[in-house]
Amino acid sequence: MLERSRILALFLTFAASIPARAGDDISSQAYAILQARCLECHGLEKKRGELRLDSREGILKGGESKEPAILAGKADDSALFYRISTDDEKERMPSKADPLPAAEIAVLKAWIDAGAPWPKDAPVPADALPHWAFQPPVEPALPEAKNAGAVGNALDRFLVAAMEKAGLEPAPEADKHTLMRRAYLELAGLPPPPEEIAAFVRDRRADAYDRLVDRLLASPHYGERQARRWLDAARYADTNGYEKDRPRSIWPYRDWVINAFNDNTPYNEFIVEQVAGDLLPNATESQKVATGFHRNSMFNEEGGIDAAEDWYKRTVDRTNTTASVFLGLTMQCAQCHDHKYDPISQREYYAFSAFMNDSGEAKLPLHDAKIEAERAKALTEIAKQEDALAKRVFSVPVIRAEFETWVVEAQRKSLGWQVLRPIRIYSKQGSTMKVLDDGSVLATGDVPNDDVYSLEYGIAGPSITGIRLEVLPDETLPGGGPGRGEVLADGDFLLTRFGGYSFNGDISFPLEIASATQDYAAKDFEASKALDALSDTGWSVKGATGKPHQAVFALGFNAGGPGLMLELEQDFIHQHVIGRFRVSVTSSPGPVVASGVPAEVESALLKSPETRTSADAALIERHYALEVAPALEAERKKLDETRAAIPKFPTSLVMTPRDPPRATHLYHRGEFLNPREEVEMGVPAVLPPLPDGAPPNRLTLARWIANEDNPLTARVAMNRLWQQVFGRGIVGTVDDFGTRGDKPANPELLDWLAIEFVRSGWDYKHMHRLLVTSAAFRRDAPVTPQALEKDPENLLLARAPRLRLEAETIRDVALAASGLLNDRIGGPSVYPPQPAGVAEVAYDGAHWPTSHGADRYRRGLYTYMKRTTPYAAAVTFDAPSGEELCPRRERTITPLQALTLLNDQVYLEAAQALAKRAIDARKNDRDRIEFLYLLCLARTPDAHEIARIEQFLQSTRIALAADAPRARQIAGPIGVLSAAPPPELAAWTTVCRAILNLDETITRG
């Protein structure tokens, strides 16, 4: 049997007789072998013998011996070849695996003999800088283009020069009908109206197309078109996500995005306001609304979750989204360990996340002049009604007698409560506790699922016999309070344990609580349940939130002392924590029970008549009339109904500053339950540093991202714009500019665009105009064999790309062509028709309240987005769910899409209206067909198309004339508005359904 060395020698002799392959081919084969066989021990993570084989530089540098591992062109003299081919098992590599097969050794030998070329598409090791994306853009000289006629503006010179180098001829300019439709769909997301098509075709001025582009850039529909694209990156939705997926009000953020694009807000300001608008000096309401960008994170409302862990998940989402959307970095890879490919360590990841972690969240009421006027009117009327009720206390003898009796009884039951101001407050979950002027405490900041409030008071005087806990409403709390839970937002709470101790120096005396009473409690949730040591029972005021309530805890034996420590434990599966409360004590011998009289009213009651002021008297009378008087109960109910009907300001979810700051830790393996050392705010060292002396907060981060010296920001933005205009980014991986991402198809062009963007003052419309007025955008879209062979992906844009329209635009085209489109801009989301049962599959079986009237035909941008059950027709055409950012929508072709266009209620109604529009506007079949083509395709049909449609129309007429019920069904409710008989309208409706289903109708060609 031949020994291995002789077999290998024979194989290498045979291999040497085979002609060498192309350099790139052999280099790719060699790299694949090194990657599969060697990098486990000689890569970034592990480099045995200090030898790296993941880059040509590392191989030539060698290891501990300082000798190169290869001598380019001399395989037989190279150490690497010797180690893989020797028979000496102690010397042979790989050391822990079977020897390399002879075929692989032959490839490596051929590669070294060929000069060891490195494959162009091999990833760059994470520590092998510089990587192109981390270096500042360098403005290139504009290339020379021989075919001057193929150049529309500066960016075309880069493309034409590349085409000429590849031996490609650019396609001619598209006809004016195609250009107009293409520009309308790109800039407004709508088809052009027939009258504008005619005017544009007649316009012979050289700048007619430029004028069209300028009109579209100035259109309010431009902001809508751009907003829909941005909202994909912002992971916008109208619900919280996860299991319960309840509604949220964040549509004002969507409207902010629309306005920002319409106003052409400079992109650097666009970034700053979304990341940290709340931290800007004298931040406006608009700038605060902009921070909804990061409130789009999902929010988990499931029972039993750890609120702190959910906050961690939201912080991770915000960190990853910021890095991806603005910087094009896959920073999420460093959440659990150092990034394997890009120079981002795990510590740097958490330093970056610290900017997001040290933030708060809030629900911002938005100013609305109309609502403000209505509220003022309603509140004035309510105040009049309250005054009238208070006056009846003395104007109605029976009520006055009852009042006087109540006053005597209330004075007799009063225990002389003393309101305490805490000297120290501690929240177990880190809530911010603020003491107000009336001695009450307001909890703000993060809303945990459970919490324990520990309060220290200094008490002078005799031993206390009772403690009163008042829970108070507050306009800043959900539902008016007194609870602060955001999940159910009903203002309720659950006090599961009340206790504490008095102390004198180091000696403490546990409070012995004998009994508990309250003025109101939900059924089976009395205050006494806060004494049973069970975590699922306690005091609740569900059913009567938005009002003050009190629980009184009578003490048994109490040794007393100058100090008092109370603990209010709130432990529930949902956020049911107290938002505002006040503590009072009494030394009265009792009986110590809840009277239901607020502290300020009781204070007025206890004054003698001669010292009681008119304000004191009015306070007492008002309390009696509005809270107690039996004879006025019916009037109070009507008053409550009036209060409930007060119009509320719209709200939007926003980010807020946080005080005190929140610490950030590095989490081992990215696990929330495994925090390690604390980290300070910072950015990856591979990028420019933060400005010296800048405060560590989100605003500093936002300005750092938006700084012209950041090498990524402008490139990433322009690459995303290029993708939306031409279907693919210059860097194909729009969310990954790192070493594993695609290399730029035209790096000089990308740098030129980035520099021009900054030089223009971050003018987004200027850059969009450059792209859509380029010759590349204006070309025809033929696919020639030559182009398909030399540039199959159309990276050089020798022809215009054909792009299937986005889900929302497909719907908008149908509605606009039919005349149904309601083009009102902004406002709450709407519910267009969709198949029955779609929404009901969600957790709560949510009803889909289909909109009626004009709202039924709003643009797709305004369709209510429920994360767990997105709008069915949108999903069919690849719309995202909003659960995470979507840097690039997929474009699929499925039979379900054709069925949707034929049968979905929205498209059926559009076809009916489109048929009626054609019948009413034109007198004969040919003219109607031409009109339909103008509405849907912005062009006239050729003779063949007309003949085919006429044939289809005629056969449909015959079939429906014999089936009157079917004709009435197809004609639908819109048929009653048309003078055409049902069979005729149904026939044209069938034709319109086919035209709306054409590939050309749903494609930007």
Side-chain angles (χ1 to χ4, degrees):
M1 189 172 181
L2 291 174
E3 60 185 33
R4 180 176 184 274
S5 60
R6 291 183 63 191
I7 296 174
L8 180 59
L10 288 171
F11 188 89
L12 294 177
T13 301
F14 171 72
S17 68
I18 302 174
R21 298 187 180 188
D24 280 350
D25 187 37
I26 194 68
S27 69
S28 297
Q29 294 178 61
Y31 177 77
I33 295 169
L34 292 173
Q35 189 177 44
R37 304 284 191 173
C38 307
L39 297 194
E40 181 180 354
C41 297
H42 298 285
L44 175 62
E45 295 298 308
K46 187 189 297 183
K47 35 190 178 288
R48 293 185 62 183
E50 297 302 316
L51 176 62
R52 295 277 294 276
L53 299 179
D54 54 353
S55 68
R56 191 173 190 275
E57 292 74 15
I59 295 173
L60 294 175
K61 180 181 178 182
E64 294 173 338
S65 67
K66 306 301 182 184
E67 295 293 330
I70 61 171
L71 295 177
K74 300 178 180 179
D76 291 334
D77 297 332
S78 297
L80 185 145
F81 179 68
Y82 165 74
R83 296 297 290 273
I84 63 175
S85 61
T86 181
D87 282 333
D88 187 340
E89 294 184 359
K90 294 182 179 179
E91 294 281 308
R92 189 175 62 225
M93 291 291 175
S95 60
K96 294 182 179 181
D98 293 334
L100 294 185
E104 294 186 0
I105 295 174
V107 169
L108 291 175
K109 182 180 190 304
W111 170 63
I112 298 172
D113 283 337
W118 201 251
K120 295 179 180 179
D121 59 350
V124 180
D127 58 345
L129 294 177
H131 176 60
W132 69 268
F134 302 132
Q135 304 306 305
V138 176
E139 184 166 15
L142 294 178
E144 292 295 329
K146 298 176 184 177
N147 186 354
V151 175
N153 57 36
L155 69 86
D156 285 309
R157 292 176 62 174
F158 293 93
L159 296 171
V160 173
M163 284 180 226
E164 292 174 349
K165 185 176 180 181
L168 276 175
E169 286 291 329
E173 183 169 290
D175 62 78
K176 296 189 80 170
H177 288 90
T178 299
L179 280 181
M180 187 168 201
R181 185 172 190 266
R182 188 182 295 169
Y184 253 87
L185 290 174
E186 169 55 33
L187 297 175
L190 297 169
E195 60 275 12
E196 290 195 27
I197 298 172
F200 178 64
V201 171
R202 288 194 305 268
D203 193 341
R204 300 302 179 189
R205 290 175 292 184
D207 63 346
Y209 178 75
D210 290 344
R211 290 169 177 266
L212 168 66
V213 168
D214 289 340
R215 289 198 305 274
L216 291 172
L217 288 171
S219 165
H221 298 308
Y222 174 79
E224 292 180 307
R225 177 67 168 141
Q226 287 303 107
R228 180 58 270 166
R229 290 157 159 166
W230 181 257
L231 294 177
D232 282 5
R235 68 261 191 250
Y236 172 85
D238 292 298
T239 59
N240 290 333
Y242 293 111
E243 177 200 34
K244 292 183 172 54
D245 200 24
R246 290 193 175 98
R248 60 170 51 170
S249 175
I250 197 169
W251 58 265
Y253 167 73
R254 179 243 292 144
D255 289 1
W256 179 89
V257 176
I258 295 172
N259 293 331
F261 277 113
N262 277 334
D263 295 342
N264 200 23
T265 300
Y267 187 69
N268 56 345
E269 296 178 18
F270 184 74
I271 294 172
V272 169
E273 293 189 12
Q274 289 185 89
V275 176
D278 57 305
L279 299 179
L280 288 167
N282 302 312
T284 64
E285 180 180 273
S286 172
Q287 290 168 334
K288 293 175 183 177
V289 168
T291 64
F293 174 78
H294 273 324
R295 289 306 308 276
N296 283 319
S297 293
M298 294 199 298
F299 180 83
N300 197 339
E301 305 168 274
E302 297 173 23
I305 64 161
D306 186 329
E309 182 179 13
D310 190 47
W311 173 261
Y312 169 73
K313 291 179 179 178
R314 297 204 296 279
T315 299
V316 165
D317 170 71
R318 289 160 184 165
T319 302
N320 300 344
T321 299
T322 300
S324 179
V325 171
F326 300 117
L327 303 175
L329 294 178
T330 56
M331 193 174 283
Q332 65 269 23
C333 296
Q335 180 186 345
C336 305
H337 49 69
D338 290 349
H339 202 296
K340 298 294 185 183
Y341 303 103
D342 295 338
I344 302 170
S345 69
Q346 189 185 21
R347 173 174 286 276
E348 287 176 327
Y349 175 87
Y350 285 101
F352 194 87
S353 77
F355 291 104
M356 309 299 160
N357 189 37
D358 190 30
S359 304
E361 298 178 337
K363 185 182 294 184
L364 179 70
L366 304 180
H367 173 75
D368 184 296
K370 181 179 178 181
I371 294 178
E372 190 169 358
E374 291 174 354
R375 284 178 60 85
K377 182 179 178 181
L379 291 172
T380 300
E381 181 59 31
I382 287 172
K384 289 180 180 178
Q385 293 180 29
E386 289 178 344
D387 290 342
L389 285 183
K391 290 176 180 177
R392 292 187 65 186
V393 172
F394 280 92
S395 63
V396 179
V398 174
I399 298 178
R400 179 171 182 173
E402 291 176 342
F403 169 69
E404 291 173 349
T405 301
W406 173 82
V407 168
V408 172
E409 185 66 11
Q411 290 172 329
R412 185 182 67 81
K413 289 182 177 179
S414 176
L415 302 175
W417 293 100
Q418 174 191 355
V419 174
L420 301 181
R421 292 183 67 87
I423 56 178
R424 266 186 291 276
I425 314 174
Y426 171 76
S427 162
K428 181 180 179 181
Q429 300 293 6
S431 298
T432 301
M433 314 298 284
K434 181 180 180 181
V435 181
L436 306 182
D437 292 341
D438 63 354
S440 64
V441 178
L442 181 66
T444 59
D446 300 338
V447 183
N449 264 25
D450 54 77
D451 209 342
V452 179
Y453 300 160
S454 300
L455 303 106
E456 182 180 342
Y457 298 93
I459 303 176
S463 297
I464 59 176
T465 57
I467 301 172
R468 179 173 65 182
L469 174 66
E470 292 178 278
V471 289
L472 305 171
D474 193 276
E475 62 180 7
T476 66
L477 299 173
R484 62 185 298 240
E486 292 182 349
V487 173
L488 300 179
D490 59 358
D492 193 21
F493 64 90
L494 186 67
L495 177 67
T496 53
R497 186 180 69 84
F498 181 89
Y501 54 88
S502 59
F503 59 88
N504 191 344
D506 295 332
I507 302 175
S508 61
F509 310 94
L511 296 178
E512 181 183 308
I513 301 177
S515 63
T517 57
Q518 72 287 316
D519 67 328
Y520 175 84
K523 183 180 180 182
D524 298 327
F525 285 90
E526 299 82 10
S528 59
K529 297 294 179 65
L531 307 177
D532 61 11
L534 298 177
S535 62
D536 58 347
T537 66
W539 181 37
S540 162
V541 296
K542 185 174 183 178
T545 57
K547 296 181 179 181
H549 297 288
Q550 60 181 244
V552 170
F553 300 91
L555 301 182
F557 170 77
N558 178 42
L564 175 67
M565 179 67 75
L566 294 180
E567 289 185 345
L568 281 61
E569 183 172 338
Q570 303 135 88
D571 185 11
F572 192 53
I573 61 172
H574 285 308
Q575 295 173 328
H576 269 51
V577 289
I578 301 172
R580 184 181 171 201
F581 61 95
R582 180 168 56 195
V583 172
S584 306
V585 296
T586 184
S587 299
S588 173
V592 180
V593 294
S595 66
V597 179
E600 54 272 15
V601 175
E602 186 181 61
S603 176
L605 277 169
L606 292 178
K607 293 180 180 179
S608 61
E610 57 272 15
T611 60
R612 192 180 296 160
T613 65
S614 58
D616 292 332
L619 181 65
I620 297 169
E621 293 160 13
R622 199 173 190 85
H623 171 75
Y624 180 77
L626 301 182
E627 302 293 340
V628 180
L632 300 178
E633 184 176 358
E635 285 87 342
R636 287 200 298 272
K637 285 184 178 180
K638 291 180 181 179
L639 200 54
D640 288 341
E641 293 172 358
T642 304
R643 291 193 189 97
I646 295 176
K648 295 179 174 59
F649 289 112
T651 63
S652 196
L653 302 180
V654 298
M655 302 293 283
T656 62
R658 177 177 171 81
D659 185 27
R662 182 190 282 111
T664 300
H665 296 267
L666 184 151
Y667 288 87
H668 181 60
R669 299 178 63 86
E671 297 171 349
F672 167 71
L673 296 177
N674 208 343
R676 296 293 174 87
E677 65 270 21
E678 188 173 334
V679 296
E680 301 295 329
M681 295 180 186
V683 296
V686 70
L687 294 170
L690 294 169
D692 291 336
N697 58 30
R698 272 183 293 114
L699 183 56
T700 293
L701 175 69
R703 287 171 170 164
W704 173 83
I705 293 172
N707 192 290
E708 63 183 46
D709 294 331
N710 193 310
L712 291 168
T713 308
R715 279 178 173 142
V716 169
M718 288 300 96
N719 191 60
R720 187 183 296 111
L721 179 61
W722 191 272
Q723 173 185 265
Q724 77 175 45
V725 173
F726 294 112
R728 185 189 188 279
I730 297 174
V731 177
T733 50
V734 291
D735 57 339
D736 186 1
F737 273 50
T739 61
R740 297 292 281 184
D742 293 347
K743 291 185 178 180
N746 198 321
E748 293 80 11
L749 173 57
L750 182 59
D751 277 8
W752 184 86
L753 289 169
I755 290 170
E756 176 66 17
F757 188 28
V758 174
R759 183 164 49 215
S760 71
W762 301 87
D763 187 331
Y764 203 86
K765 284 189 177 181
H766 166 71
M767 300 308 297
H768 208 165
R769 189 182 192 282
L770 270 177
L771 268 62
V772 299
T773 56
S774 68
F777 184 80
R778 298 169 62 166
R779 289 194 182 100
D780 203 358
V783 181
T784 65
Q786 178 197 30
L788 198 59
E789 178 185 356
K790 294 185 176 182
D791 186 16
E793 295 185 72
N794 196 29
L795 300 180
L796 301 180
L797 295 174
R799 64 184 186 276
R802 296 182 74 255
L803 305 174
R804 212 280 316 282
L805 300 176
E806 298 98 328
E808 297 85 353
T809 307
I810 292 172
R811 181 177 180 275
D812 293 348
V813 165
L815 293 177
S818 68
L820 290 176
L821 182 69
N822 171 11
D823 62 0
R824 181 170 68 87
I825 294 175
S829 297
V830 296
Y831 301 82
Q834 68 171 336
V838 172
E840 285 79 355
V841 301
Y843 162 81
D844 55 356
H847 173 60
W848 183 264
T850 302
S851 298
H852 298 283
D855 277 351
R856 189 181 184 93
Y857 306 116
R858 298 287 304 280
R859 292 194 69 168
L861 170 67
Y862 304 109
T863 297
Y864 186 82
M865 289 187 66
K866 186 173 177 65
R867 284 182 160 114
T868 52
T869 52
Y871 184 60
V875 174
T876 302
F877 286 97
D878 310 306
S881 67
E883 292 172 293
E884 57 185 18
L885 73 96
C886 177
R888 182 177 186 270
R889 289 192 186 187
E890 296 298 323
R891 288 188 173 95
T892 63
I893 300 175
T894 69
L896 187 58
Q897 294 168 352
L899 291 172
T900 297
L901 292 175
L902 283 172
N903 300 311
D904 185 271
Q905 184 68 28
V906 169
Y907 295 100
L908 181 58
E909 291 181 13
Q912 293 166 345
L914 183 58
K916 177 182 182 300
R917 186 177 183 185
I919 290 172
D920 293 348
R922 300 291 187 269
K923 300 303 181 184
N924 60 64
D925 290 351
R926 181 174 292 255
D927 288 347
R928 287 169 182 169
I929 292 170
E930 291 181 348
F931 186 58
L932 289 175
Y933 264 62
L934 278 175
L935 290 171
C936 297
L937 306 178
R939 67 174 178 86
T940 55
D942 59 30
H944 176 70
E945 290 170 321
I946 292 174
R948 290 290 303 274
I949 293 177
E950 285 179 333
Q951 181 182 7
F952 177 57
L953 175 65
Q954 189 60 28
S955 63
T956 305
R957 280 171 171 158
I958 295 171
L960 292 175
D963 191 348
R966 178 64 175 158
R968 285 193 296 272
Q969 181 185 17
I970 294 175
I974 292 188
V976 302
L977 304 177
S978 175
E984 180 69 2
L985 184 60
W988 278 104
T989 297
T990 303
V991 169
C992 291
R993 291 169 77 184
I995 292 176
L996 291 176
N997 210 331
L998 290 175
D999 176 71
E1000 187 178 349
T1001 304
I1002 64 170
T1003 301
R1004 197 200 81 191

